[in-house]
Amino acid sequence: MIEKQRRHLASLTFSSFLFLCKKMRILSKLVKSSDCPPVSERSRRVCAWLEVLDCGTYLIDADDLRLIDSDFIVRHGFTVSEFCGSPPVYPQVFDHFYPNLSGLDMLFNTGEQSPSLLKKSFQAVPVGP
């Protein structure tokens, strides 16, 4: 998977992501945005993609909430939840902890503890009424 020679960084990044999901036992269906219908307006795109993917909830980072109309999405029958938390702290080979290096760094430093560290560090909080 990763050992294959790549011509584009995006291909290596996606392969690394698939490897990480497999090793962390993340079993969610993965779909590239390029495989979803192109819709230019963000909130309409969210609704279209949720519908195509048969999802009921849009999970969004707090910093990106201002980029969507969550009321619009809710009026179309979906829920919006904010992705909250902070990166897990785990042992690294450095003198002190460097957050946000990569999921691969966490996996290689903590092994099978990685999935539980992620689950403890983040939560989804419903947005709106």
Side-chain angles (χ1 to χ4, degrees):
M1 179 185 289
I2 293 179
E3 62 277 351
K4 180 177 156 185
Q5 189 171 6
R6 311 282 174 181
R7 294 192 65 175
H8 302 283
L9 181 58
S11 175
L12 176 62
T13 301
F14 191 68
S15 292
S16 297
F17 178 70
L18 293 176
F19 172 81
L20 185 62
C21 287
K22 180 179 178 182
K23 293 299 181 184
M24 290 186 145
R25 297 180 302 278
I26 298 171
L27 305 175
S28 300
K29 177 183 176 183
L30 301 174
V31 178
K32 294 180 181 180
S33 60
S34 59
D35 294 335
C36 294
V39 178
S40 60
E41 199 280 317
R42 187 180 300 254
S43 297
R44 291 184 187 282
R45 180 172 56 239
V46 168
C47 290
W49 290 7
L50 288 169
E51 189 172 311
V52 165
L53 299 172
D54 195 29
C55 292
T57 301
Y58 181 56
L59 189 60
I60 188 167
D61 185 81
D63 293 336
D64 294 333
L65 268 173
R66 61 183 172 73
L67 302 174
I68 63 162
D69 181 349
S70 58
D71 291 336
F72 176 85
I73 295 167
V74 170
R75 282 193 309 273
H76 283 80
F78 303 103
T79 59
V80 177
S81 289
E82 180 184 337
F83 189 63
C84 303
S86 58
V89 176
Y90 55 89
Q92 293 174 330
V93 296
F94 310 109
D95 291 335
H96 66 280
F97 179 72
Y98 292 93
N100 299 319
L101 288 182
S102 73
L104 292 173
D105 180 72
M106 184 173 71
L107 176 66
F108 294 154
N109 280 294
T110 64
E112 292 187 6
Q113 294 176 351
S114 297
S116 63
L117 286 171
L118 280 177
K119 287 178 185 175
K120 289 177 190 173
S121 298
F122 296 101
Q123 63 180 347
V125 178
V127 173

